Structure formats: structure tokens, C-alpha cells
Amino acid sequence: MTFTVSKHIQKMSPSSTIAAMQKAQALKAQGKDVIDLSVGEPDFDTPQFIKNALWESVQRGETKYTATAGVKPLQSAIISFYERNFGVSYSPSQIMATSGGKQALFNAILSAVGEGDDVLISAPYWVSFPEMVNCAGANNVFIDTEETDFILTAEQVKRAITPNTKLLILNSPSNPSGRVIPADEFRKIVEVCAEKGIYVISDECYLLFVYPPNEVFSVASLPKELSEFVCICGSFSKTYAMTGWRVGYTIAPESWTKPMLKLQSHSTSHPASFAQYACAVALDDVENSRSSVKEMLAEYEKRRNYFVPALNDLGLKCSMPEGAFYAFPNVREFAVTSGEFADRLLNETYCVTTNGAGFGSEGFIRISYATSMERLQESIERIKKIV
């Protein structure tokens, strides 16, 4: 008997970022000196004060089931964080904890769209956005932003809207480009959507990783009449180097949060209880939190300021990212596809990068500089040999 796969799952493609990571692991297992520039993971350890908080929560016996929306200390910490940083007030009924930022996005998309709905996604995009839309049975409508150097504009959104558009997915700072949508343009984009009754998901996974003089911006700071159309999807993975902890969250109108809670109650129920308590401390311990983020951001900025100009010097044209920890250089000058270029880097230099086609931008590759300066310098020397 042949297993018949659901038509929605058939439409989905495997994650290209995970595929690149698996290639790196396989080569390392063979004893190769691999420089992994593919993984979207901080190379810092989780700050000690957060690890201490986890151990203390375990010792207190915080190891049982929790409410689907998460424990109250975490909900309160999320509310306090946004009030402290963006001057906005939320109620617990608008907050839910999720098993990572990925589930936050999955919940938001599946509860908002279905068959016949169109979802706007700017390209380049994070690889899982269109696959989640496929799983929901909706249609992807991509907005090519190469002409605006990978910064989405309200005018581009306006032109892309169809009669069936129900949702727009935003990600700033962007994975894979590291570009940041200016605050005034972000507001115009949401205004265009609100006027048409289109909902917006703001993926704020890299929220605090913005390099000066650019400023941190959250859609939470927009007027209430606009926020009624918005779901914020956040994560602890990047900001606090907690990728393996798998805790994220959503902030949305209660009318959107309720169906997300229903969906999660039948899937993962809730994130690990003890991890939730540690995440609450990550937000509430303001002094330690700001110190750890400042340290990581300063190191990423130092790497960016070396690595991106070095790529340009090699002929890999790349705009300077304002946030996150990715470079997204153009490789068309080398008369190969982005997949062929990434394969050549892998096979000839043991530098692992990610094919830009998986992000909706053929002709580019994504390079993560979330690794040591020493390894970045070595990678430039290796890349130099083939370009």
C-alpha cells in the first residue's frame, strides 16, 4: 500500500536552511574543517542569569502542565516589556506563549487564512513563510523588493493587493537580508492594509538586533486603530541566544488570539513550563537583559563592519544590513545559479552558505555572520580562492 500525502503537505518544500545545516554537520562528521555560515543561530551561550532562572524554576517544581496561553509571570513580563519599550498596554487575553517563534507564526497564519485567500509576502522572505501558507491551503503572492534594495514599501504593497488578499506577512529586521523597514514606511504599509481590511503578521524575531543609528521599532507602537489588524510574533531564540529552548509568543487582538489558542490546545498545548519561567526573568531582569543584548549586538556590528565590505571587495555585491546577523550578496556576476555558487563554496572551500532561491531570490546567497571574527576572516580567504 502506498501512503497518500495530504495535498497541502505536498505543496510544501523542505527547509533549505535546515538542509544547509545538515550538510555542514555531515561534513564535520567526516572530519572536514567546515566554516558554517548557514545557520541562523547566535554563537553566544544563553546568558547565565537566564540559565540560573531555569534551574531555580525546576527546583521550585515548576514542571507541570500550564495554561495553553502560558504562565502568568511570562504573560506579565511580555506586557511589561512592550509597555517599557514602546509605551503600549496589553491585556493577558492578547498574549500567548508558543513553542518557539515558528509556532507563533504557524498559529497566526493557520488561524487567519484558508482556501481561496491570498497572502502577501515580500521577497526575499524567510523560507518557512510560504510553506506555512501552503499548509493553510492559501495562495502566496510574492512582492519582489530587489528594486528597492530589499526594503518593502507601502506602494509595492498597494500594487500587490488582490481581491482575495487577507493577510500580509512582514519581517523586519529581515531574514535573509538584514534590511530594516523605516518606521514611517512601516506605518504606511499597515495603514494601506487596515484601509482594505487586510490583516498583518509582524515577525519580530530580531526585534532588538538593530545597529545604530537605526532604531528599534515594533508595530506595537502604532495607534490602536492600526494594531487591531496586527499580530506580533516574537521569540527568545535570537535576542537571548535561546534557540534550543523553543519559546516564542504572539500578541494580537483577542478575536485573533482565541482561535490561535484553540489550535495550540490541540497541537503542542504549551511550551515547557520551566522554560517559560526563565523567559519571564529574561524580560523582567532589565539590567542583565540589556547588558547581554548590548554585548551581543556590539559583537555582531563589529563582524558586520568587517564582513560585508570584505564581500564587496571580492565582487559579491551586498548592501549593508541594518539589523539581524545576515549578509545577502549578489552572485549573478559569476554566471552561475545561487545553488551552483553555494555548492561550489561547499565542495571547494568547505564554507556552508544557503541558496538564495529558497528565500525567493535567485542569484543571491544568504551568509550568517553569527560566528567568530577569526572564522569570518578565514572564510573570506577561502571564498577569495574561487571568485
Side-chain angles (χ1 to χ4, degrees), residues 33 35 306 349 351 372-385:
D33 180 21
I35 301 179
Y306 159 74
T349 74
C351 288
S372 70
M373 182 67 81
E374 180 183 42
R375 295 302 270 170
L376 290 176
Q377 291 168 338
E378 172 63 21
S379 71
I380 290 295
E381 292 304 311
R382 293 188 189 186
I383 294 170
K384 192 182 293 184
K385 294 176 182 177

Side-chain angles (χ1 to χ4, degrees), residues 51-186:
K51 293 195 286 187
N52 291 343
L54 176 77
W55 178 240
E56 289 165 9
S57 70
V58 172
Q59 291 297 97
R60 290 196 309 270
E62 309 287 8
T63 58
K64 307 296 184 182
Y65 288 135
T66 77
T68 301
V71 299
K72 288 183 179 180
L74 178 55
Q75 288 185 308
S76 297
I78 292 168
I79 291 169
S80 296
F81 173 86
Y82 279 86
E83 186 168 18
R84 189 167 59 244
N85 289 282
F86 304 108
V88 61
S89 180
Y90 290 110
S91 68
S93 63
Q94 295 174 276
I95 312 292
M96 69 176 290
T98 61
S99 296
K102 189 173 282 190
Q103 188 184 24
L105 290 158
F106 199 81
N107 288 349
I109 292 169
L110 262 68
S111 59
V113 298
E115 300 283 350
D117 293 326
D118 288 344
V119 179
L120 302 181
I121 302 175
S122 64
Y125 45 74
W126 180 52
V127 295
S128 292
F129 288 155
E131 305 310 332
M132 291 178 182
V133 171
N134 286 337
C135 190
N139 308 309
N140 290 294
V141 177
F142 300 115
I143 305 173
D144 187 351
T145 62
E146 189 174 346
E147 64 177 15
T148 51
D149 208 6
F150 299 144
I151 295 179
L152 182 68
T153 68
E155 188 57 38
Q156 289 171 325
V157 171
K158 196 179 295 184
R159 292 198 304 261
I161 292 173
T162 73
N164 296 320
T165 300
K166 189 176 180 185
L167 181 68
L168 166 69
I169 303 175
L170 297 174
N171 175 215
S172 177
S174 162
N175 174 7
S177 71
R179 303 310 305 273
V180 171
I181 301 172
D184 59 341
E185 195 66 36
F186 209 120

